[in-house]
Amino acid sequence: TATGTKDATTFLRGDNTFDVPPLGGITEADQWRQTTDTSVSSSTLYPSNWERNDTVFDKIGTGMSQSSGIFTFPSTGIWYVSFNAMATGAASDYISAKIKVTQNNSSYVVRAESYQNTVAAQDWVGISSNVMVDVSDTSNVKVLFEIDSGNAITYKGSTTANYTWANFIRLGDT
């Protein structure tokens, strides 16, 4: 009683219809990280030192591309973007993690921002910001990450572990 065409390229869905995969699911997922420690004393963009995670990880799909800290999406859709950082600094100082988005490949606007304070000298803190981005045009919609502090702060980097990193997951169509 199932409807649709039964053949080698279809499968039977729970609603008793035949359909062609893929019918959803994650088609793009990628993860990038900072490779070295970065010291800052004010607002700083993360322009360099990015690498795709290559430790027990492989991207799904085409993956993101990155140039001078600007990340380009491989396809349109609704994307979940997270930026996570580990930092240490002087006593009672703030640190931040910001996600900036452009829709015209020019003007970047803060779309997500998170702050944390250190309590004592050399405290380690972790901060995280995330946002969903409607990527309607891969030439114009891009993201970059910014960190901020009141005084000298060091954001942790590594080539074997994620201390300061970003996740990119395509959730579905735009």
Side-chain angles (χ1 to χ4, degrees):
T1 61
T3 60
T5 303
K6 176 184 174 185
D7 62 29
T9 63
T10 62
F11 72 98
L12 183 60
R13 294 171 28 131
D15 64 358
N16 208 28
T17 60
F18 288 100
D19 212 336
V20 179
L23 299 173
I26 305 250
T27 58
E28 291 279 353
D30 205 355
Q31 187 173 73
W32 289 68
R33 64 181 169 214
Q34 284 290 289
T35 59
T36 58
D37 292 356
T38 302
S39 296
V40 300
S41 59
S42 62
S43 185
T44 302
L45 300 179
Y46 258 130
S48 60
N49 302 331
W50 286 104
E51 75 168 6
R52 176 173 282 123
N53 179 353
D54 58 2
T55 308
V56 193
F57 173 80
D58 194 10
K59 66 185 174 9
I60 297 172
T62 304
M64 301 293 289
S65 59
Q66 181 269 145
S67 177
S68 299
I70 296 172
F71 287 85
T72 301
F73 295 91
S75 60
T76 60
I78 305 298
W79 284 77
Y80 174 79
V81 178
S82 68
F83 177 45
N84 308 275
M86 182 190 312
T88 186
S92 189
D93 203 356
Y94 75 89
I95 62 171
S96 75
K98 300 175 187 177
I99 300 172
K100 290 185 158 186
V101 179
T102 181
Q103 293 181 310
N104 61 9
N105 195 26
S106 178
S107 304
Y108 285 83
V109 177
V110 174
R111 290 283 319 277
E113 183 172 14
S114 183
Y115 283 86
Q116 184 69 272
N117 276 24
T118 57
V119 177
Q122 303 308 309
D123 270 358
W124 285 95
V125 296
I127 53 176
S128 162
S129 293
N130 59 71
V131 66
M132 285 191 228
V133 180
D134 184 352
V135 179
S136 57
D137 179 347
T138 59
S139 297
N140 287 310
V141 180
K142 299 181 181 189
V143 298
L144 59 79
F145 305 103
E146 184 177 270
I147 55 178
D148 193 13
S149 68
N151 293 299
I153 295 286
T154 299
Y155 287 80
K156 188 79 172 150
S158 172
T159 59
T160 59
N162 293 345
Y163 296 128
T164 299
W165 77 97
N167 292 318
F168 304 89
I169 302 170
R170 185 181 183 278
L171 300 175
D173 295 336
T174 183

